Amino acid sequence: MRLIVMLLLLVFVAAGVVLGALNADLVGYDLAFARVQVPKGAALLVMLALGWILGGLTAWLGVTTRHRRDRRRTAKAQGAKATKTP
């Protein structure tokens, strides 16, 4: 399993290097407070990484929130059972 993950990582790193090399011309971005010129490849990789991080954060928060809600429900149900038993 680790070997497969390492090979996949290597393939994606190689694809990123090729992508960056093929898109070396500069692109300008106006961020309202600054103007930045970066290579297309770098901009694409940064946006890809940002999307990956934000997607992972969203998934993690969704799972965490659901688990917290389930634990609260379980605790409430157990508390109700404990008060009903004589």
Side-chain angles (χ1 to χ4, degrees):
M1 184 70 176
R2 261 194 176 168
L3 180 63
I4 294 172
V5 171
M6 293 300 284
L7 287 174
L8 265 170
L9 183 63
L10 186 63
V11 166
F12 280 107
V13 167
V17 168
V18 169
L19 182 75
L22 292 176
N23 293 297
D25 36 325
L26 294 177
V27 173
Y29 293 100
D30 186 4
L31 303 173
F33 56 87
R35 290 188 180 178
V36 181
Q37 285 202 340
V38 294
K40 278 186 202 175
L44 286 169
L45 289 175
V46 166
M47 290 302 124
L48 177 71
L50 185 64
W52 181 71
I53 290 169
L54 290 176
L57 183 65
T58 302
W60 177 72
L61 285 173
V63 168
T64 303
T65 304
R66 191 181 78 214
H67 282 275
R68 197 176 304 135
R69 188 175 49 238
D70 289 345
R71 277 187 300 198
R72 219 178 302 135
R73 252 190 234 137
T74 304
K76 190 184 283 187
Q78 287 177 349
K81 277 185 186 177
T83 58
K84 287 183 180 180
T85 54

Coordinates of all heavy atoms in Angstrom, one line a residue:
M1 N 0.8 -1.2 0.0 CA 0.0 0.0 0.0 C 0.9 1.3 0.0 O 0.6 2.2 -0.7 CB -0.9 -0.1 1.2 CG -1.9 1.1 1.3 SD -3.1 0.9 0.0 CE -4.2 2.2 0.4
R2 N 1.9 1.3 0.8 CA 2.8 2.4 0.9 C 3.5 2.7 -0.4 O 3.7 3.8 -0.9 CB 3.8 2.2 2.0 CG 3.5 2.9 3.2 CD 4.6 3.0 4.1 NE 4.2 3.8 5.3 CZ 4.8 3.9 6.3 NH1 6.0 3.3 6.5 NH2 4.4 4.7 7.3
L3 N 3.9 1.6 -1.1 CA 4.6 1.7 -2.4 C 3.6 2.3 -3.4 O 4.1 3.2 -4.2 CB 5.0 0.3 -2.9 CG 5.7 0.3 -4.2 CD1 7.0 1.1 -4.1 CD2 6.0 -1.2 -4.6
I4 N 2.4 1.9 -3.4 CA 1.4 2.5 -4.4 C 1.3 4.0 -4.1 O 1.2 4.8 -5.0 CB 0.1 1.8 -4.3 CG1 0.2 0.4 -4.8 CG2 -1.0 2.5 -5.1 CD1 -1.0 -0.5 -4.5
V5 N 1.2 4.4 -2.8 CA 1.0 5.8 -2.5 C 2.3 6.6 -2.9 O 2.1 7.7 -3.5 CB 0.7 6.0 -1.0 CG1 0.8 7.4 -0.5 CG2 -0.6 5.4 -0.6
M6 N 3.4 6.0 -2.7 CA 4.7 6.7 -3.1 C 4.8 6.9 -4.6 O 5.2 7.9 -5.1 CB 5.9 6.0 -2.5 CG 6.0 6.0 -1.0 SD 6.1 7.7 -0.4 CE 7.8 8.0 -0.7
L7 N 4.4 5.8 -5.3 CA 4.4 5.9 -6.8 C 3.4 7.0 -7.3 O 3.7 7.7 -8.2 CB 4.1 4.6 -7.4 CG 5.2 3.5 -7.3 CD1 4.8 2.2 -7.8 CD2 6.4 4.0 -8.0
L8 N 2.2 7.0 -6.7 CA 1.2 8.0 -7.1 C 1.7 9.4 -6.8 O 1.6 10.3 -7.6 CB -0.1 7.8 -6.3 CG -1.1 7.0 -7.0 CD1 -2.3 6.6 -6.1 CD2 -1.7 7.7 -8.2
L9 N 2.4 9.6 -5.6 CA 2.9 10.9 -5.3 C 4.0 11.3 -6.3 O 4.1 12.4 -6.7 CB 3.5 10.8 -3.8 CG 4.1 12.1 -3.3 CD1 3.0 13.2 -3.2 CD2 4.7 11.9 -2.0
L10 N 4.8 10.4 -6.6 CA 5.9 10.6 -7.6 C 5.3 11.0 -9.0 O 5.8 11.9 -9.6 CB 6.8 9.4 -7.7 CG 8.0 9.5 -8.6 CD1 9.0 10.6 -8.0 CD2 8.8 8.2 -8.7
V11 N 4.3 10.3 -9.4 CA 3.6 10.7 -10.7 C 3.1 12.1 -10.6 O 3.2 12.9 -11.6 CB 2.5 9.6 -11.0 CG1 1.6 10.1 -12.1 CG2 3.1 8.3 -11.3
F12 N 2.4 12.5 -9.5 CA 1.8 13.8 -9.4 C 2.9 14.9 -9.3 O 2.7 16.0 -9.8 CB 0.8 13.9 -8.3 CG -0.5 13.3 -8.6 CD1 -0.9 12.1 -8.1 CD2 -1.4 13.9 -9.5 CE1 -2.1 11.5 -8.4 CE2 -2.6 13.4 -9.8 CZ -3.0 12.2 -9.3
V13 N 4.0 14.6 -8.6 CA 5.1 15.6 -8.6 C 5.7 15.8 -9.9 O 5.9 16.9 -10.4 CB 6.1 15.1 -7.5 CG1 7.4 15.9 -7.7 CG2 5.6 15.2 -6.1
A14 N 5.9 14.7 -10.7 CA 6.4 14.8 -12.0 C 5.5 15.6 -12.9 O 5.9 16.4 -13.7 CB 6.7 13.4 -12.6
A15 N 4.2 15.3 -12.8 CA 3.2 16.0 -13.6 C 3.2 17.5 -13.2 O 3.1 18.4 -14.1 CB 1.8 15.5 -13.4
G16 N 3.4 17.8 -12.0 CA 3.5 19.2 -11.5 C 4.7 19.9 -12.1 O 4.7 21.1 -12.5
V17 N 5.8 19.2 -12.1 CA 7.1 19.8 -12.7 C 6.9 20.0 -14.2 O 7.3 21.1 -14.7 CB 8.3 18.8 -12.4 CG1 9.5 19.2 -13.2 CG2 8.6 18.8 -10.9
V18 N 6.3 19.1 -14.9 CA 6.1 19.3 -16.3 C 5.1 20.4 -16.5 O 5.3 21.3 -17.4 CB 5.5 18.0 -16.9 CG1 5.0 18.2 -18.4 CG2 6.6 16.9 -16.9
L19 N 4.0 20.5 -15.8 CA 3.0 21.6 -15.9 C 3.7 22.9 -15.6 O 3.5 23.9 -16.4 CB 1.9 21.4 -14.9 CG 0.8 22.4 -14.9 CD1 -0.1 22.1 -16.1 CD2 0.0 22.3 -13.6
G20 N 4.5 23.0 -14.6 CA 5.2 24.3 -14.4 C 6.2 24.7 -15.5 O 6.3 25.8 -15.8
A21 N 6.9 23.7 -16.0 CA 7.8 23.9 -17.1 C 7.1 24.4 -18.4 O 7.6 25.3 -19.1 CB 8.7 22.7 -17.4
L22 N 6.0 23.8 -18.7 CA 5.3 24.1 -19.9 C 4.5 25.5 -19.8 O 4.2 26.0 -20.8 CB 4.3 23.0 -20.3 CG 5.0 21.7 -20.7 CD1 3.9 20.6 -21.0 CD2 5.8 21.9 -22.0
N23 N 4.3 25.9 -18.6 CA 3.5 27.2 -18.4 C 4.4 28.2 -17.7 O 4.1 28.7 -16.6 CB 2.3 26.9 -17.6 CG 1.3 26.1 -18.4 OD1 0.8 26.5 -19.4 ND2 1.0 24.9 -17.9
A24 N 5.5 28.6 -18.3 CA 6.5 29.4 -17.6 C 6.2 30.9 -17.9 O 6.8 31.7 -17.2 CB 7.9 29.1 -18.1
D25 N 5.4 31.3 -18.8 CA 5.2 32.7 -19.1 C 4.4 33.3 -17.9 O 3.6 32.7 -17.2 CB 4.5 32.9 -20.4 CG 3.4 31.9 -20.8 OD1 3.7 30.7 -20.5 OD2 2.4 32.2 -21.4
L26 N 4.6 34.6 -17.7 CA 4.0 35.4 -16.6 C 2.6 35.7 -16.8 O 2.2 36.1 -17.9 CB 4.9 36.6 -16.3 CG 6.3 36.4 -15.8 CD1 7.0 37.7 -15.6 CD2 6.3 35.6 -14.5
V27 N 1.8 35.7 -15.7 CA 0.4 36.1 -15.7 C 0.3 37.2 -14.6 O 0.8 37.0 -13.5 CB -0.5 34.9 -15.5 CG1 -1.9 35.4 -15.3 CG2 -0.4 33.9 -16.6
G28 N -0.4 38.3 -14.9 CA -0.6 39.3 -13.9 C -2.0 39.1 -13.2 O -3.0 38.8 -13.8
Y29 N -1.9 39.3 -11.9 CA -3.1 39.3 -11.1 C -3.3 40.6 -10.3 O -2.3 41.0 -9.7 CB -3.1 38.1 -10.1 CG -3.1 36.8 -10.8 CD1 -2.0 36.0 -11.0 CD2 -4.3 36.2 -11.2 CE1 -2.0 34.8 -11.6 CE2 -4.4 35.0 -11.8 CZ -3.2 34.3 -12.0 OH -3.3 33.1 -12.6
D30 N -4.5 41.2 -10.4 CA -4.8 42.4 -9.6 C -5.6 42.0 -8.4 O -6.7 41.6 -8.6 CB -5.5 43.4 -10.5 CG -5.7 44.7 -9.8 OD1 -5.2 44.9 -8.7 OD2 -6.4 45.6 -10.4
L31 N -5.0 42.1 -7.2 CA -5.7 41.7 -6.0 C -6.3 42.8 -5.2 O -6.6 42.7 -4.1 CB -4.6 41.0 -5.1 CG -3.9 39.8 -5.7 CD1 -2.8 39.3 -4.8 CD2 -4.9 38.7 -6.1
A32 N -6.6 43.9 -5.9 CA -7.2 45.1 -5.3 C -6.2 45.9 -4.4 O -6.3 47.1 -4.3 CB -8.5 44.8 -4.6
F33 N -5.4 45.2 -3.7 CA -4.4 45.9 -2.9 C -3.0 45.8 -3.4 O -2.1 46.4 -2.9 CB -4.5 45.5 -1.4 CG -4.3 44.0 -1.3 CD1 -3.1 43.4 -1.1 CD2 -5.5 43.2 -1.2 CE1 -2.9 42.1 -0.9 CE2 -5.3 41.8 -1.1 CZ -4.1 41.3 -0.9
A34 N -2.8 44.9 -4.3 CA -1.4 44.7 -4.9 C -1.6 44.0 -6.3 O -2.6 43.4 -6.6 CB -0.6 43.8 -4.0
R35 N -0.6 44.3 -7.1 CA -0.5 43.6 -8.4 C 0.6 42.6 -8.4 O 1.7 43.0 -8.0 CB -0.4 44.6 -9.5 CG -1.6 45.4 -9.7 CD -1.5 46.3 -10.9 NE -2.8 47.0 -11.0 CZ -3.1 47.9 -11.9 NH1 -2.2 48.2 -12.8 NH2 -4.2 48.5 -11.9
V36 N 0.4 41.4 -8.8 CA 1.3 40.3 -8.8 C 1.5 39.7 -10.1 O 0.5 39.5 -10.8 CB 0.9 39.3 -7.7 CG1 2.0 38.2 -7.6 CG2 0.6 39.9 -6.4
Q37 N 2.7 39.4 -10.5 CA 3.0 38.7 -11.7 C 3.7 37.4 -11.4 O 4.8 37.5 -10.8 CB 3.8 39.5 -12.7 CG 3.0 40.6 -13.4 CD 3.6 41.0 -14.7 OE1 4.8 40.8 -14.9 NE2 2.8 41.7 -15.5
V38 N 3.1 36.3 -11.7 CA 3.7 35.0 -11.4 C 3.6 34.1 -12.6 O 2.7 34.3 -13.5 CB 3.0 34.3 -10.2 CG1 3.2 35.1 -8.9 CG2 1.5 34.2 -10.5
P39 N 4.4 33.1 -12.7 CA 4.3 32.2 -13.8 C 3.0 31.4 -13.7 O 2.5 31.1 -12.7 CB 5.5 31.2 -13.6 CG 6.4 31.9 -12.7 CD 5.6 32.8 -11.9
K40 N 2.5 31.0 -14.9 CA 1.2 30.3 -15.0 C 1.3 29.0 -14.2 O 0.3 28.7 -13.4 CB 0.8 30.0 -16.4 CG 0.2 31.0 -17.2 CD -0.2 30.4 -18.5 CE -0.3 31.5 -19.6 NZ -0.6 30.9 -20.9
G41 N 2.3 28.3 -14.3 CA 2.5 27.0 -13.6 C 2.4 27.2 -12.1 O 1.7 26.4 -11.4
A42 N 3.1 28.2 -11.6 CA 3.1 28.4 -10.2 C 1.7 28.8 -9.7 O 1.2 28.3 -8.6 CB 4.1 29.5 -9.8
A43 N 1.0 29.7 -10.5 CA -0.4 30.0 -10.1 C -1.3 28.8 -10.1 O -2.1 28.7 -9.2 CB -0.9 31.1 -11.1
L44 N -1.2 28.0 -11.1 CA -2.0 26.8 -11.1 C -1.7 25.9 -10.0 O -2.7 25.3 -9.3 CB -1.8 26.0 -12.4 CG -2.4 26.6 -13.7 CD1 -1.8 25.9 -14.9 CD2 -3.9 26.6 -13.7
L45 N -0.5 25.7 -9.6 CA -0.1 24.8 -8.5 C -0.6 25.3 -7.2 O -1.1 24.6 -6.3 CB 1.4 24.5 -8.5 CG 1.8 23.6 -9.6 CD1 3.4 23.5 -9.6 CD2 1.2 22.2 -9.5
V46 N -0.5 26.7 -7.0 CA -0.9 27.3 -5.7 C -2.4 27.2 -5.6 O -2.9 26.8 -4.5 CB -0.5 28.8 -5.7 CG1 -1.2 29.5 -4.6 CG2 1.0 28.8 -5.5
M47 N -3.1 27.4 -6.7 CA -4.6 27.3 -6.6 C -5.0 25.8 -6.4 O -6.0 25.6 -5.7 CB -5.3 27.8 -7.9 CG -5.1 29.3 -8.0 SD -5.9 30.1 -6.6 CE -4.5 31.1 -6.0
L48 N -4.3 24.9 -7.0 CA -4.6 23.5 -6.8 C -4.4 23.1 -5.3 O -5.2 22.5 -4.7 CB -3.7 22.6 -7.7 CG -3.9 21.1 -7.5 CD1 -5.2 20.6 -8.0 CD2 -2.7 20.4 -8.2
A49 N -3.3 23.5 -4.7 CA -3.0 23.3 -3.3 C -4.0 23.9 -2.4 O -4.5 23.3 -1.4 CB -1.6 23.7 -3.0
L50 N -4.4 25.2 -2.7 CA -5.4 25.9 -1.9 C -6.7 25.2 -2.0 O -7.4 25.0 -1.0 CB -5.5 27.3 -2.4 CG -6.4 28.2 -1.6 CD1 -5.8 28.4 -0.2 CD2 -6.5 29.6 -2.3
G51 N -7.1 24.7 -3.2 CA -8.4 24.0 -3.3 C -8.4 22.7 -2.5 O -9.3 22.3 -1.9
W52 N -7.2 22.0 -2.6 CA -7.0 20.7 -1.9 C -7.2 21.0 -0.4 O -7.9 20.2 0.3 CB -5.7 20.1 -2.2 CG -5.4 18.8 -1.6 CD1 -6.0 17.6 -1.9 CD2 -4.5 18.6 -0.6 NE1 -5.5 16.6 -1.1 CE2 -4.5 17.2 -0.3 CE3 -3.6 19.4 0.1 CZ2 -3.7 16.6 0.7 CZ3 -2.8 18.8 1.1 CH2 -2.9 17.4 1.4
I53 N -6.5 22.0 0.1 CA -6.5 22.3 1.6 C -7.9 22.7 2.0 O -8.4 22.2 3.0 CB -5.5 23.4 1.9 CG1 -4.1 22.8 1.8 CG2 -5.7 23.9 3.3 CD1 -3.0 23.8 1.8
L54 N -8.6 23.6 1.2 CA -9.9 24.0 1.6 C -10.9 22.9 1.5 O -11.8 22.8 2.4 CB -10.4 25.2 0.7 CG -9.6 26.5 1.0 CD1 -10.1 27.6 0.0 CD2 -9.9 27.0 2.4
G55 N -10.8 22.0 0.5 CA -11.7 20.8 0.4 C -11.5 19.9 1.6 O -12.5 19.4 2.1
G56 N -10.2 19.6 1.9 CA -10.0 18.8 3.1 C -10.5 19.4 4.4 O -11.0 18.6 5.2
L57 N -10.3 20.7 4.5 CA -10.8 21.3 5.7 C -12.3 21.2 5.8 O -12.9 21.0 6.9 CB -10.3 22.8 5.7 CG -10.7 23.6 7.0 CD1 -10.0 23.1 8.2 CD2 -10.3 25.1 6.8
T58 N -13.0 21.4 4.7 CA -14.5 21.3 4.7 C -14.9 19.9 5.0 O -15.9 19.8 5.8 CB -15.0 21.7 3.3 OG1 -14.5 23.1 3.0 CG2 -16.5 21.7 3.2
A59 N -14.3 18.9 4.4 CA -14.6 17.6 4.7 C -14.4 17.2 6.2 O -15.2 16.6 6.9 CB -13.9 16.6 3.8
W60 N -13.3 17.7 6.7 CA -12.9 17.4 8.1 C -13.9 18.1 9.1 O -14.4 17.5 10.0 CB -11.5 17.9 8.4 CG -11.1 17.7 9.8 CD1 -10.8 16.5 10.5 CD2 -11.0 18.7 10.8 NE1 -10.5 16.8 11.8 CE2 -10.6 18.1 12.0 CE3 -11.2 20.1 10.8 CZ2 -10.4 18.8 13.2 CZ3 -10.9 20.8 11.9 CH2 -10.6 20.2 13.1
L61 N -14.3 19.3 8.8 CA -15.2 20.0 9.6 C -16.6 19.4 9.6 O -17.3 19.3 10.6 CB -15.3 21.5 9.3 CG -14.2 22.4 9.7 CD1 -14.3 23.7 9.1 CD2 -14.0 22.4 11.2
G62 N -17.0 18.9 8.4 CA -18.3 18.2 8.3 C -18.3 16.9 9.1 O -19.3 16.6 9.8
V63 N -17.3 16.2 9.0 CA -17.2 14.9 9.8 C -17.2 15.2 11.3 O -17.8 14.5 12.1 CB -16.0 14.0 9.3 CG1 -15.8 12.9 10.2 CG2 -16.3 13.5 7.9
T64 N -16.4 16.1 11.6 CA -16.2 16.5 13.1 C -17.5 17.0 13.6 O -17.9 16.6 14.7 CB -15.1 17.6 13.2 OG1 -13.9 17.1 12.7 CG2 -14.9 17.9 14.7
T65 N -18.2 17.8 12.9 CA -19.5 18.3 13.4 C -20.5 17.2 13.5 O -21.2 17.1 14.5 CB -20.0 19.4 12.4 OG1 -19.1 20.4 12.2 CG2 -21.3 20.0 12.9
R66 N -20.6 16.3 12.6 CA -21.5 15.2 12.7 C -21.2 14.3 13.9 O -22.1 13.9 14.6 CB -21.5 14.3 11.4 CG -22.6 13.3 11.3 CD -22.6 12.5 10.1 NE -21.5 11.5 10.3 CZ -20.8 11.0 9.3 NH1 -20.9 11.4 8.1 NH2 -19.9 10.1 9.5
H67 N -19.9 14.0 14.1 CA -19.5 13.2 15.2 C -19.9 13.9 16.5 O -20.3 13.2 17.5 CB -18.0 12.9 15.2 CG -17.6 11.8 14.2 ND1 -17.6 10.5 14.5 CD2 -17.2 11.9 12.9 CE1 -17.3 9.8 13.5 NE2 -17.0 10.7 12.5
R68 N -19.7 15.2 16.6 CA -20.0 15.9 17.8 C -21.5 15.8 18.1 O -22.0 15.6 19.2 CB -19.6 17.3 17.7 CG -19.5 18.1 19.0 CD -18.9 19.5 18.9 NE -17.6 19.5 18.3 CZ -17.2 20.3 17.3 NH1 -18.0 21.2 16.8 NH2 -16.0 20.2 16.8
R69 N -22.3 16.0 17.0 CA -23.8 15.9 17.2 C -24.2 14.5 17.6 O -25.1 14.4 18.5 CB -24.4 16.3 15.8 CG -25.9 16.5 15.9 CD -26.5 17.0 14.6 NE -26.0 16.2 13.4 CZ -25.4 16.8 12.4 NH1 -25.1 18.1 12.4 NH2 -25.0 16.0 11.4
D70 N -23.6 13.5 17.0 CA -23.9 12.1 17.4 C -23.6 11.8 18.8 O -24.3 11.2 19.6 CB -23.2 11.1 16.5 CG -23.8 11.1 15.1 OD1 -24.9 11.7 14.9 OD2 -23.1 10.6 14.2
R71 N -22.4 12.3 19.3 CA -22.0 12.1 20.7 C -23.0 12.8 21.6 O -23.3 12.3 22.7 CB -20.6 12.6 20.9 CG -19.5 11.6 20.5 CD -18.2 12.1 20.9 NE -18.0 13.4 20.2 CZ -16.9 14.0 20.0 NH1 -15.8 13.5 20.5 NH2 -16.8 15.1 19.4
R72 N -23.4 14.0 21.3 CA -24.4 14.8 22.1 C -25.7 14.0 22.2 O -26.3 13.9 23.3 CB -24.6 16.2 21.5 CG -24.7 17.2 22.5 CD -24.9 18.6 22.0 NE -23.8 19.0 21.1 CZ -23.9 19.5 19.9 NH1 -25.1 19.9 19.5 NH2 -22.9 19.8 19.2
R73 N -26.2 13.5 21.1 CA -27.4 12.7 21.1 C -27.3 11.5 21.9 O -28.2 11.1 22.7 CB -27.7 12.3 19.6 CG -28.9 13.0 19.1 CD -29.4 12.5 17.8 NE -29.4 13.6 16.8 CZ -28.9 13.5 15.6 NH1 -28.4 12.4 15.1 NH2 -29.0 14.5 14.8
T74 N -26.2 10.8 21.8 CA -25.9 9.6 22.6 C -25.9 9.9 24.1 O -26.5 9.2 24.9 CB -24.6 8.9 22.1 OG1 -24.7 8.6 20.7 CG2 -24.4 7.6 22.9
A75 N -25.2 10.9 24.4 CA -25.1 11.3 25.8 C -26.5 11.7 26.4 O -26.8 11.4 27.5 CB -24.1 12.5 26.0
K76 N -27.2 12.4 25.6 CA -28.6 12.8 26.0 C -29.5 11.6 26.2 O -30.2 11.5 27.2 CB -29.2 13.7 25.0 CG -30.5 14.4 25.5 CD -31.1 15.2 24.4 CE -30.4 16.5 24.3 NZ -31.1 17.5 23.3
A77 N -29.4 10.6 25.3 CA -30.2 9.4 25.4 C -29.8 8.6 26.6 O -30.6 8.0 27.3 CB -30.0 8.6 24.1
Q78 N -28.5 8.5 26.9 CA -28.0 7.8 28.0 C -28.4 8.5 29.3 O -28.7 7.8 30.3 CB -26.5 7.6 28.0 CG -26.1 6.6 27.0 CD -24.5 6.5 26.9 OE1 -23.8 7.3 27.4 NE2 -24.1 5.5 26.1
G79 N -28.4 9.8 29.3 CA -28.8 10.6 30.5 C -30.3 10.4 30.7 O -30.7 10.2 31.9
A80 N -31.1 10.3 29.7 CA -32.5 10.0 29.8 C -32.8 8.6 30.4 O -33.7 8.4 31.2 CB -33.3 10.2 28.5
K81 N -32.0 7.6 29.9 CA -32.1 6.3 30.4 C -31.8 6.2 31.9 O -32.4 5.5 32.7 CB -31.2 5.3 29.7 CG -31.8 4.8 28.4 CD -30.8 3.8 27.8 CE -31.2 3.4 26.4 NZ -30.2 2.5 25.8
A82 N -30.7 6.9 32.3 CA -30.3 6.9 33.7 C -31.3 7.5 34.6 O -31.5 7.0 35.8 CB -28.9 7.6 33.8
T83 N -32.0 8.5 34.2 CA -33.0 9.1 35.1 C -34.3 8.3 35.2 O -35.0 8.4 36.1 CB -33.3 10.6 34.6 OG1 -33.8 10.5 33.3 CG2 -32.1 11.4 34.7
K84 N -34.6 7.5 34.1 CA -35.8 6.7 34.1 C -35.7 5.4 35.0 O -36.7 4.9 35.5 CB -36.2 6.3 32.7 CG -36.8 7.5 31.9 CD -37.2 7.0 30.6 CE -37.8 8.2 29.8 NZ -38.2 7.8 28.4
T85 N -34.5 4.9 35.1 CA -34.3 3.6 35.8 C -34.4 3.9 37.3 O -33.7 4.8 37.8 CB -33.0 2.9 35.5 OG1 -32.0 3.8 35.6 CG2 -33.1 2.4 34.0
P86 N -35.2 3.1 38.1 CA -35.3 3.4 39.5 C -34.2 2.8 40.3 O -33.4 2.0 40.1 CB -36.6 2.7 39.9 CG -37.0 1.8 38.8 CD -36.2 2.2 37.6

